[in-house]
Structure formats: structure tokens, C-alpha cells
Amino acid sequence: MGTVTLGVSIAVPEPYGSLLQECRAGFGDPAAHGIPTHVTLLPPTEVDASTLPTIEAHLASVATAGRPFPMRLYGTGTFRPLSPVVFVQVVEGGSACTWLQKRVREASGPLVRELQFPYHPHVTVAHAISEEAMDRAYEELADYTARWSCTSFGLYEQGSDGVWRMLHEYVFGGGTEMTGVPSQSTPVDLQATSSLRQ
């Protein structure tokens, strides 16, 4: 059957997701339109395609044990010089994200793996582009804020074209799988207050 490259993440819902994706494209990041705006729970991981049913059952179990929680983004941060990334910070919901990613990668499950860096929940808005463009991303989104109720996470597969597409959305508490992704839930505050600096 071969292998597939999977990732697990929390989708940033509309209108925030599209706005940040367009910002990322505007900063010159060529990957922007191939990566839905998200908070990573499991980074890109290559697995045998035959293990998908086991992986899906594991993620359903993780979701059943989870509960909705508030998410809030505010301001920017960077992993430079260690890694060429500028991100929007997760200022509320980070501990829940940390708990979820540990459950996704737990030693008894099918997605056990070590991380290259310590887990730090964030929303990437620029990656591996010029220093000037990353500086611009850092400055222009410095006042960005968004909030919503996180009710689920998703399993994504990277296609041969490099684009990440959702395979399944797992609702906390064992709810029914949602459709209409990547919008994850109705934002608490429909004002996508970006306050982009000119």
C-alpha cells in the first residue's frame, strides 16, 4: 500500500483562518495556500497506509476523552535563529493543546514519535522566507487577536502536490464528525481584529 504523510492539528476557523492564510501568502511564503491555518498537534509524520484505520480509531478515542476549550491568539513570536519561523501566539488554550498532542503521540498508540523541538503551540504565519519578510510578518501582526471555542481537531494528509487536506474531523466528547472543514466552529467574536500596522 505504500506510505502516507499525515499531520494532526486544530484548524483555525473562519474568518480567522483565511485572513491569516492570505497574510502568510502576502509575506511571500510559497507554502501558504497549501497549508490550512492551524495549531499543530502532530507534525508531518510518514506512516504505512495500512495503519490508517488504527490511527483513526486512536484519534477518535483521544477526541472522546477531550472537551471543548477556549482558544485565543494574540500577537507574534518567532523561533529565530533556531528555526526560521514567525508565528501568532496562542495565549489561551495552550495547556489543552499540550495535553492533546501528548495523547495523540502517546507511547501505546500508533503515532508515537519524538519531536525535533519541545512542543510549543502556535500558528505559523511565515516560514523559511527572507529575513526582511519575516520581520514584516512579525511587525504587521503584532496586534493581531482572535478567539473561538475549540470543539475538535483534524487528521490531515499531504498530497503529492504538497497540499494538506483534511481526512477526518474529530469532535470532542465523541460527537458526530463534522463537515465543511476547515471551518472548525463558530468564532465567539466574529471580528477578525487584525489591526495590521501600515
Side-chain angles (χ1 to χ4, degrees):
M1 284 184 79
T3 62
V4 292
T5 300
L6 303 178
V8 179
S9 63
I10 294 170
V12 175
E14 299 303 340
Y16 312 121
S18 292
L19 187 148
L20 288 175
Q21 191 174 46
E22 289 304 315
C23 286
R24 184 169 179 173
F27 299 136
D29 191 327
H33 291 297
I35 305 174
T37 308
H38 67 283
V39 176
T40 298
L41 298 176
L42 177 78
T45 302
E46 188 173 325
V47 301
D48 193 301
S50 65
T51 63
L52 266 173
T54 302
I55 289 168
E56 290 168 354
H58 168 64
L59 294 176
S61 174
V62 172
T64 298
R67 294 293 178 268
F69 58 91
M71 287 279 287
R72 185 164 68 92
L73 310 178
Y74 179 74
T76 49
T78 183
F79 294 133
R80 293 183 292 173
L82 191 61
S83 181
V85 173
V86 172
F87 56 86
V88 172
Q89 300 186 82
V90 174
V91 295
E92 186 175 5
S95 59
C97 292
T98 299
W99 180 86
L100 279 171
Q101 64 90 26
K102 285 180 182 175
R103 292 292 309 273
V104 167
R105 295 185 303 106
E106 63 190 354
S108 61
L111 291 172
V112 59
R113 61 160 292 175
E114 293 297 319
L115 298 180
Q116 185 179 2
F117 301 107
Y119 182 72
H120 180 89
H122 64 280
V123 177
T124 297
V125 291
H127 178 239
I129 56 178
S130 72
E131 289 295 321
E132 293 80 9
M134 287 200 286
D135 288 344
R136 186 173 148 234
Y138 187 89
E139 292 165 4
E140 291 191 7
L141 290 170
D143 295 324
Y144 182 84
T145 183
R147 66 173 68 220
W148 71 94
S149 176
C150 180
T151 58
S152 63
F153 62 84
L155 172 65
Y156 291 78
E157 179 180 352
Q158 187 177 37
S160 58
D161 56 1
V163 175
W164 287 90
R165 297 176 178 88
M166 184 180 278
L167 297 179
H168 296 285
E169 185 172 32
Y170 298 93
V171 179
F172 296 137
T176 306
E177 182 178 323
M178 306 287 282
T179 57
V181 294
S183 181
Q184 183 188 36
S185 59
T186 302
V188 173
D189 177 6
L190 288 177
Q191 280 189 321
T193 49
S194 55
S195 301
L196 299 184
R197 295 179 178 176
Q198 301 302 317

